[in-house]
């Protein structure tokens, strides 16, 4: 069956922003105006179609990225609505990995906020073309021009308004399109009727000024348009739109629009901009992968008639459909019921069903083509970041790097008998395994000393949500321990140590002997291994075993069982026995050397520091900053605003458990905060022993 919408008539976009900027409300309006929904959903009332999880409906926030497909102006638009909370940043990361364009939603009052910066950096990492939508122009404190300034200053973007608001706050009533130089007003119960009119006299001069700026900025990005503009000082509407599209796709411009999604103003013009300015799959740079046959870099072109290449960017467990594998097709086409090759794992699997997703609803389809995003049912051995490709010419695409968890928690089932405990433990283990497959930032392991199951994640909300899902969706009653900080270990100085393992047992013995040096690296460097063996003191075949052994020991640490990081290990010298030496002997010798070297090099504990952005009223600033300092925090600056003060600080995570309650009490419930991992620092020596005791006791 031929594809209904060509590559040029396809858009794959994400909607991303800081929490509470209106991403989901904007998506709901898009679905209503395109006929996908017959009734508008409301985040505040818990009726938003894209927020379908019970936890999302209760909290009024997006937790998991939701996908839908709709049609506007004969163009197929695949939309992914992403979370704004930093605990779920992996949802944004893996969505942007497969998208071609992004709509950055800004609150007209808050402008560029902390998570705005985070998603902007993620988009820059993947070179995603962007347009910006300043939402909530109707709320108190709305300031379109302040948002433009913040985008230029804090995001370093070439933000160019292509619209202007008519009024603001309570008086916001319409939008001026600087391309058509017309004013547009919204009428009807749901803003579905758009009235075109002349620009108000009192806004004509400023509109002309911003139009000239828009045309000049557009012309700067195109030699032909620049020449014509210099000669005639005018461009046609089509030339302006094509020029803007070109500039957006080349990452030279970010067009800025405005509106109020909740009040049904501006969303249709936003959809026009998605079609006009954001790229189709054929506009983006060619995707590159590694050929498994030639071990060289190859280009993947968006061609329906080429060999298929696709990427798994998300795994989800669906109670009705089973395991869903979300897929982006980069080349070729994939048919329902066919066998497909997982080149990342070297295995073939059969496709059970291909689904077009609309949040948690689904529609069966027969075939997907290059540029399409859909979900597949039937894969068993699949992981986030796997590549699917033709077995004759297998390739592997760049995978997704997930950040390390910063918080741990013990979890176990509640039960009334040993038999029930066994059954529930097995059931819980299976459920946790499903969650770890879905979410690369969620980890599970068993504590070798206590036998407890430990879950790890990106924050309290992240783990709270998972525990809640275990209880509700899988009907397992569990009990959890207090949250624990994900400490790390490192060393302060350079040290050398010998590891020698000799075992004689009458027959073939074991012999391994090595000298290593350990030295500290700067924070965030991870681990380096350097082999300086010369003259065959240790045969080459044993060196990988030494490296592997040290990596294993690094997971255990030497102080409190925390992973060791930011070190360089140099293999200096050693001896071997022609008969008795083996990989196992050198692994044991390396383990001995590593532990001794660490202890000599002054091991220290590292703790995660969080970057905090706290917004409070002026009367509460003193109390809040005093409390932050008492938590070993460092105040970076305090930014004043007519209504609120913003406190930027760095605070140890260990001091922040339950902070939302503390902040509510100090601000009469009117303060709010955002935090994300910044870096790791040494735990003060006065607190190290207490931290170790607390960690070991749990």
């Amino acid at each position: 069956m031929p594809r209904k919408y060509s590559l040029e008539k396809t858009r794959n976009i994400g909607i991303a922003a800081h929490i509470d900027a209106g991403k989901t409300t904007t998506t709901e309006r898009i679905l209503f105006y395109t006929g996908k929904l017959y009734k508008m959903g409301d985040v505040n009332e818990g009726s938003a179609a894209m927020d379908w999880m019970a936890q999302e409906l209760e909290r009024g926030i997006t937790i998991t990225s939701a996908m839908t497909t709709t049609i506007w102006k004969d163009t197929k638009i695949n939309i992914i609505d992403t979370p704004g909370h930093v605990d779920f940043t992996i949802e944004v990361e893996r969505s942007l990995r497969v998208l071609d364009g992004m709509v950055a939603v800004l609150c007209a009052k808050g402008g560029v906020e902390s998570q705005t910066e985070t998603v902007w950096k993620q988009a820059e990492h993947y070179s995603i073309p962007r347009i910006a939508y300043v939402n909530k122009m109707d709320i108190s404190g709305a300031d379109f021009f302040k948002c433009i300034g913040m985008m230029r200053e804090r995001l370093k973007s070439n933000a160019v308004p292509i619209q202007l608001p008519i009024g603001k706050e309570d008086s916001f009533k319409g939008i001026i399109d600087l391309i058509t130089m017309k004013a547009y007003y919204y009428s009807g119960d749901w803003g579905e009727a758009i009235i075109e009119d002349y620009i108000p006299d009192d806004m004509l001069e400023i509109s002309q000024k911003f139009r000239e700026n828009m045309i000049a900025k557009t012309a700067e990005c195109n030699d032909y348009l620049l020449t014509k503009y210099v000669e005639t000082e005018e461009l046609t509407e089509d030339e302006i739109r094509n020029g803007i599209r070109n500039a957006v796709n080349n990452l030279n411009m970010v067009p800025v629009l405005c509106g109020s999604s909740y009040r049904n103003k501006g969303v249709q013009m936003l959809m026009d901009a998605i079609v006009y300015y954001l790229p189709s799959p054929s506009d983006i740079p060619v995707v590159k992968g590694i050929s498994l046959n030639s071990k060289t870099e190859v280009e993947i072109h968006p061609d329906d008639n080429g060999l298929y290449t696709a990427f798994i960017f998300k795994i989800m467990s669906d109670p009705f459909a089973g395991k869903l594998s979300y897929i982006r097709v980069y080349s070729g086409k994939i048919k329902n019921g066919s066998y497909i090759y997982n080149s990342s794992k070297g295995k073939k699997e059969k496709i059970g069903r291909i689904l077009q997703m609309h949040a948690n609803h689904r529609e069966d389809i027969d075939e997907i083509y290059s540029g399409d995003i859909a979900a597949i049912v039937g894969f068993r051995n699949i992981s986030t970041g796997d590549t699917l490709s033709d077995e004759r010419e297998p390739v592997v695409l760049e995978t997704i790097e997930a950040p390390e968890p910063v918080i741990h928690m013990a979890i176990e089932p509640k039960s009334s008998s040993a038999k029930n405990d066994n059954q529930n433990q097995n059931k819980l283990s299976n459920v946790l395994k499903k969650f770890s497959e879905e979410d690369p930032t969620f980890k599970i392991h068993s504590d070798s000393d206590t036998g407890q199951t430990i879950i790890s994640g990106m924050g309290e909300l992240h783990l709270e949500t998972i525990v809640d899902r275990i209880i509700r969706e899988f009907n397992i009653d569990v009990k959890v321990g207090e949250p624990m900080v994900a400490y790390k270990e490192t060393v302060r100085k350079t040290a050398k140590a010998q590891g020698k393992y000799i075992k004689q047992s009458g027959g073939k013995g074991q012999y391994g002997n090595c000298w290593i040096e350990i030295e500290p690296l700067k924070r965030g460097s991870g681990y380096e291994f350097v082999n300086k063996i010369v003259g065959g003191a240790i045969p080459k075949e044993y060196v990988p075993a030494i490296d592997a052994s040290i990596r294993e020991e690094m997971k255990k640490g030497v102080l409190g069982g925390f992973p060791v990081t930011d070190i360089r290990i140099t293999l200096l010298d050693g001896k071997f026995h022609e008969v008795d030496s083996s990989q196992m002997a050198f692994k044991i010798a390396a383990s001995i050397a590593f532990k001794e070297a660490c202890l000599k090099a002054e091991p220290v504990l590292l703790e995660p520091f969080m970057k905090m952005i706290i917004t409070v009223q002026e009367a509460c600033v003193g109390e809040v900053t005093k409390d932050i300092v008492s938590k070993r925090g460092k105040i970076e600056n305090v930014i004043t605003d007519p209504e609120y003060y913003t406190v930027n600080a760095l605070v140890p995570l260990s001091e922040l458990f339950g902070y939302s309650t503390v902040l509510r009490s100090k601000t009469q419930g009117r303060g709010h905060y955002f935090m994300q991992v910044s870096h790791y620092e040494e735990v003060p020596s006065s607190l190290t022993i207490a931290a170790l005791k607390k960690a070991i006791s749990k």
Side-chain angles (χ1 to χ4, degrees):
M1 181 186 297
R3 65 186 303 156
K4 187 173 181 181
Y5 296 94
S6 67
L7 277 171
E8 291 70 26
K9 290 288 186 178
T10 301
R11 302 288 182 273
N12 294 312
I13 68 156
I15 299 182
H18 187 82
I19 189 170
D20 203 33
K23 299 178 308 302
T24 300
T25 299
T26 300
T27 308
E28 294 289 317
R29 298 310 187 254
I30 288 174
L31 297 178
F32 175 79
Y33 293 128
T34 57
K36 192 77 177 182
L37 296 179
Y38 70 92
K39 179 184 176 183
M40 288 187 183
D42 191 314
V43 173
N44 297 323
E45 294 176 1
S47 59
M50 299 300 281
D51 283 348
W52 54 272
M53 292 173 63
Q55 294 82 1
E56 293 177 316
L57 299 176
E58 289 174 2
R59 297 174 186 267
I61 63 171
T62 302
I63 290 172
T64 183
S65 55
M67 178 190 158
T68 189
T69 298
T70 193
I71 310 299
W72 183 254
K73 293 200 167 178
D74 199 34
T75 300
K76 177 182 177 182
I77 306 174
N78 295 315
I79 303 172
I80 297 183
D81 176 29
T82 63
H85 199 288
V86 70
D87 280 20
F88 310 105
T89 191
I90 187 63
E91 293 288 336
V92 184
E93 183 80 20
R94 59 186 175 186
S95 297
L96 290 178
R97 169 67 177 77
V98 298
L99 293 173
D100 303 327
M102 185 180 94
V103 177
V105 180
L106 281 70
C107 171
K109 179 179 179 180
V112 174
E113 299 175 88
S114 45
Q115 185 67 355
T116 318
E117 294 185 49
T118 300
V119 299
W120 200 267
K121 288 175 184 174
Q122 288 172 308
E124 285 185 338
H125 173 72
Y126 291 114
S127 299
I128 304 290
R130 280 144 277 171
I131 61 176
Y133 173 63
V134 178
N135 188 27
K136 300 190 176 184
M137 281 303 307
D138 60 309
I139 66 172
S140 176
D143 190 332
F144 179 73
F145 301 105
K146 182 186 82 170
C147 292
I148 300 291
M150 293 177 78
M151 288 183 66
R152 291 171 178 167
E153 181 181 345
R154 295 179 61 175
L155 302 179
K156 309 301 179 190
S157 71
N158 184 20
V160 179
I162 62 171
Q163 295 178 350
L164 293 180
I166 302 174
K168 64 178 183 177
E169 301 177 335
D170 289 342
S171 65
F172 175 64
K173 55 187 177 181
I175 295 166
I176 294 170
D177 184 336
L178 296 176
I179 297 174
T180 62
M181 285 299 278
K182 297 285 186 182
Y184 296 90
Y185 302 91
Y186 294 81
S187 181
D189 293 338
W190 303 107
E192 66 275 19
I194 304 174
I195 301 167
E196 181 183 299
D197 203 349
Y198 294 108
I199 295 173
D201 291 341
D202 62 345
M203 290 198 69
L204 191 55
E205 184 178 343
I206 191 173
S207 298
Q208 289 170 338
K209 175 185 172 184
F210 273 91
R211 174 183 166 83
E212 288 170 8
N213 174 71
M214 174 192 70
I215 293 175
K217 293 286 188 182
T218 303
E220 285 174 7
C221 302
N222 185 291
D223 290 341
Y224 167 76
L225 296 182
L226 182 59
T227 302
K228 183 178 179 184
Y229 178 63
V230 169
E231 291 176 354
T232 67
E233 295 188 354
E234 194 55 69
L235 300 176
T236 66
E237 289 182 15
D238 285 343
E239 285 174 334
I240 295 171
R241 288 198 179 102
N242 290 335
I244 292 174
R245 179 183 178 82
N246 206 29
V248 170
N249 290 351
N250 290 321
L251 307 178
N252 293 325
M253 180 191 292
V254 180
V256 186
L257 300 89
C258 60
S260 169
S261 298
Y262 187 69
R263 300 296 177 192
N264 312 312
K265 292 179 172 68
V267 178
Q268 296 97 320
M269 295 175 78
L270 172 62
M271 291 189 288
D272 288 344
I274 290 169
V275 172
Y276 288 147
Y277 308 126
L278 289 179
S280 72
S282 58
D283 294 321
I284 62 171
V286 174
V287 175
K288 295 180 180 179
I290 301 297
S291 166
L292 296 184
N293 289 340
S294 64
K295 308 300 180 186
T296 58
E297 188 175 78
V298 293
E299 295 184 343
I300 314 298
H301 296 272
D303 178 7
D304 292 347
N305 298 315
L307 299 178
Y308 72 83
T309 303
F311 184 79
I312 303 293
F313 68 94
K314 179 173 178 174
I315 307 290
M316 270 202 81
S317 296
D318 187 288
F320 304 104
K323 184 188 286 188
L324 295 177
S325 304
Y326 284 76
I327 181 176
R328 161 70 191 258
V329 183
Y330 285 101
S331 179
K333 51 192 174 187
I334 297 173
K335 289 187 177 183
N336 192 11
S338 62
Y339 281 90
I340 201 161
Y341 185 66
N342 183 335
S343 47
S344 298
K345 292 194 165 59
K347 294 186 177 180
K348 289 181 76 171
E349 295 204 53
K350 187 178 181 180
I351 296 174
R353 298 162 66 192
I354 300 177
L355 304 175
Q356 191 75 69
M357 300 300 297
H358 174 54
N360 63 328
H361 302 290
R362 59 200 70 80
E363 174 190 345
D364 283 273
I365 54 179
D366 294 325
E367 199 166 12
I368 46 177
Y369 304 87
S370 57
D372 280 344
I373 296 177
I376 289 180
V377 179
F379 293 157
R380 296 184 180 183
N381 187 19
I382 201 84
S383 304
T384 299
D386 282 357
T387 302
L388 309 177
S389 63
D390 194 288
E391 193 172 6
R392 294 167 294 177
E393 293 288 340
V395 299
V396 174
L397 303 177
E398 180 188 357
T399 189
I400 297 171
E401 294 294 331
E404 290 187 30
V406 295
I407 186 171
H408 303 315
M409 184 185 288
I411 186 170
E412 60 185 50
K414 287 182 183 177
S415 59
S416 54
S417 68
K419 181 181 178 183
N420 285 341
D421 187 56
N422 240 2
Q423 290 174 343
N424 287 337
Q425 184 61 53
N426 290 336
K427 192 176 176 184
L428 177 61
S429 296
N430 290 332
V431 170
L432 292 176
K433 185 181 177 184
K434 284 183 180 180
F435 284 135
S436 67
E437 289 173 350
E438 289 183 14
D439 183 352
T441 62
F442 175 68
K443 308 289 185 184
I444 51 175
H445 75 273
S446 179
D447 188 298
S448 56
D449 295 324
T450 65
Q452 286 181 305
T453 298
I454 307 297
I455 58 176
S456 307
M458 299 308 296
E460 286 184 275
L461 179 59
H462 188 195
L463 295 187
E464 281 175 18
T465 303
I466 284 173
V467 170
D468 195 38
R469 288 185 64 191
I470 291 169
I471 296 169
R472 293 194 196 199
E473 294 177 25
F474 297 92
N475 200 28
I476 304 174
D477 201 6
V478 297
K479 54 184 178 181
V480 296
E482 290 181 27
M484 300 175 288
V485 176
Y487 291 105
K488 293 183 181 181
E489 298 177 18
T490 192
V491 296
R492 279 204 186 109
K493 66 179 188 179
T494 301
K496 297 177 184 178
Q498 180 187 26
K500 184 188 288 186
Y501 179 67
I502 304 173
K503 184 177 181 183
Q504 300 293 340
S505 55
K508 185 179 183 299
Q510 294 284 352
Y511 184 91
N513 187 352
C514 65
W515 276 93
I516 67 169
E517 180 181 74
I518 187 170
E519 59 183 306
L521 297 176
K522 68 178 183 179
R523 295 288 171 265
S525 298
Y527 166 67
E528 290 181 20
F529 179 81
V530 180
N531 178 17
K532 285 192 176 179
I533 294 295
V534 293
I538 298 176
K540 290 181 180 179
E541 61 264 31
Y542 298 137
V543 173
I546 294 171
D547 182 21
S549 176
I550 290 170
R551 289 177 185 271
E552 280 299 312
E553 291 302 322
M554 285 176 64
K555 295 176 183 176
K556 306 171 189 174
V558 293
L559 285 176
F562 304 109
V564 179
T565 188
D566 301 339
I567 60 167
R568 177 186 290 123
I569 296 292
T570 303
L571 180 58
L572 300 171
D573 200 1
K575 292 181 180 179
F576 77 103
H577 190 282
E578 289 186 359
V579 177
D580 293 344
S581 286
S582 65
Q583 288 192 356
M584 181 56 67
F586 273 101
K587 284 187 77 169
I588 296 172
S591 169
I592 295 168
F594 175 76
K595 291 174 186 174
E596 187 177 334
C598 278
L599 293 172
K600 287 181 179 179
E602 294 185 11
V604 292
L605 207 59
L606 299 175
E607 63 179 337
F609 265 65
M610 311 301 287
K611 177 178 174 59
M612 295 194 72
I613 300 170
I614 311 161
T615 304
V616 296
Q617 291 187 318
E618 182 181 3
C620 307
V621 171
E623 275 292 307
V624 169
T625 53
K626 182 180 175 183
D627 180 61
I628 288 296
V629 172
S630 75
K631 298 180 186 298
R632 298 189 286 125
K634 305 166 187 175
I635 306 295
E636 293 189 305
N637 57 52
V638 178
I639 300 171
T640 61
D641 195 81
E643 290 188 55
Y644 289 95
Y645 279 53
T646 301
V647 179
N648 290 282
L650 293 169
V651 191
L653 175 61
S654 59
E655 304 282 353
L656 291 173
F657 294 130
Y659 184 69
S660 56
T661 304
V662 173
L663 186 63
R664 275 199 301 270
S665 115
K666 292 188 179 297
T667 62
Q668 292 78 50
R670 289 177 288 183
H672 63 273
Y673 74 98
F674 168 90
M675 68 178 182
Q676 67 184 53
V677 183
S678 172
H679 63 284
Y680 273 75
E681 284 188 20
E682 276 189 37
V683 176
S685 54
S686 59
L687 300 175
T688 297
I689 293 175
L692 289 172
K693 282 182 178 178
K694 187 175 181 181
I696 292 169
S697 69
K698 291 182 179 181

